[in-house]
Amino acid sequence: MNEKIAIYPGSFDPLTNGHLDILARALKIFDKIIVAVAATELKKPLFSIAERVKMIKTATLNLKNVEAESFSGLLVDYALQKKANALIRGLRAVSDFEYEFQMALMNRHLAKHSKNQNHVETVYLMPDEKYTYLSSTLVKEVVRLGGDAKNFVPKFIELALIKKFKSSHAKIHL
Ligand code: ADP
C-alpha cells in the first residue's frame, strides 16, 4: 500500500490548540503525519527541542498515525528521507501568506533540483476561526504576564509555561 505521509514542520514553541486543529484536519487527508520540530538557529526558543518534541508526543498520545521528532538541515531532504511528499502548514491570515508562499515555492524548487528529483507539495489548511489570532508567541506573552491560557494550549503545556516563567532567566527569551 502506498501510504500518504505528510510532514508538519514548525517551531512549536510551544504546541498550541491552533497546531492541534491543523493536525486534526491533516489527519483526514493523510495516512500518517510527522510533526517535525525544526532545529533552527534563527529563533531563540523558550523550550528545548527535546521538551517540544515531548510535549507534542504527550498531546497527541490519543491520535493514531501521528509521530513527533526533530529535524535539522533542509526540510525537503528530511521529507524525502521520511518518504513524505507533502508538507502541511497552517494559514491564519493574509499576514502569513507572503512568507508561506515564498517558502512553498523555495521548497518545491529545492525538491525538484535535488538529486532524487523529489516531488514535494505544500498543503495549506485553515484553522477554526477561533484560532486565527493564536500564535505560540502570543500564548507565551499571555502566560508571562499572568494571563489565563487554558483556551489556547493543553493544560499540561500551560503548566510548563508557568514553570518556565518562574525562572526569571526565561523572561528574556520571548
Ligand atoms: P514557524 O514554523 O513559522 O515557527 P509555528 O511553529 O508557530 O511556526 O507553526 C507551525 C505551523 O503551524 C505554521 O504553518 C503556522 O502558520 C501554523 N500555525 C501556527 N499557529 C496556528 C494557528 N493558530 N492556526 C493555524 N495554524 C497555525
Side-chain angles (χ1 to χ4, degrees):
M1 198 187 77
N2 227 350
E3 246 194 337
K4 279 190 285 171
I5 303 170
I7 309 284
Y8 181 19
S11 313
F12 304 103
D13 186 42
L15 180 83
T16 69
N17 291 343
H19 295 130
L20 287 170
D21 178 286
I22 294 296
L23 193 55
R25 288 170 203 281
L27 280 169
K28 293 184 186 146
I29 307 172
F30 295 95
D31 299 315
K32 183 166 103 180
I33 313 283
I34 303 169
V35 184
V37 179
T40 165
E41 306 278 306
L42 295 178
K43 293 182 181 179
K44 260 218 164 296
L46 180 65
F47 291 99
S48 71
I49 292 185
E51 285 173 321
R52 283 178 273 157
V53 169
K54 193 164 173 224
M55 283 193 276
I56 297 165
K57 284 189 172 164
T58 305
T60 59
L61 263 183
N62 59 344
L63 293 176
K64 271 208 311 183
N65 309 326
V66 175
E67 291 175 10
E69 59 184 32
S70 63
F71 78 98
S72 54
L74 275 182
L75 181 54
V76 291
D77 292 340
Y78 172 72
L80 176 65
Q81 180 202 327
K82 292 286 163 185
K83 299 188 177 1
N85 57 9
L87 307 173
I88 305 290
R89 295 285 290 175
L91 262 194
R92 285 163 287 193
V94 181
S95 51
D96 279 340
F97 179 76
E98 192 162 347
Y99 173 68
E100 292 293 339
F101 187 62
Q102 280 182 357
M103 208 161 61
L105 292 185
M106 179 56 85
N107 280 328
R108 186 192 278 169
H109 173 90
L110 290 173
K112 208 168 112 192
H113 292 87
S114 71
K115 32 178 210 306
N116 299 291
Q117 301 198 335
N118 192 24
H119 186 70
V120 173
E121 291 297 339
T122 309
V123 176
Y124 288 96
L125 296 169
M126 265 68 79
D128 187 290
E129 63 249 31
K130 64 177 179 280
Y131 299 129
T132 52
Y133 59 90
L134 182 55
S135 69
S136 299
T137 303
L138 202 56
V139 172
K140 283 184 276 193
E141 186 65 1
V142 166
V143 176
R144 191 177 69 86
L145 298 172
D148 180 351
K150 75 167 180 301
N151 294 324
F152 310 135
V153 289
K155 186 73 194 167
F156 80 93
I157 292 182
E158 187 185 12
L159 295 175
L161 278 163
I162 292 168
K163 203 169 152 198
K164 274 276 180 204
F165 286 121
K166 274 201 178 139
S167 82
S168 55
H169 173 71
K171 289 183 182 167
I172 57 171
H173 284 318
L174 267 183

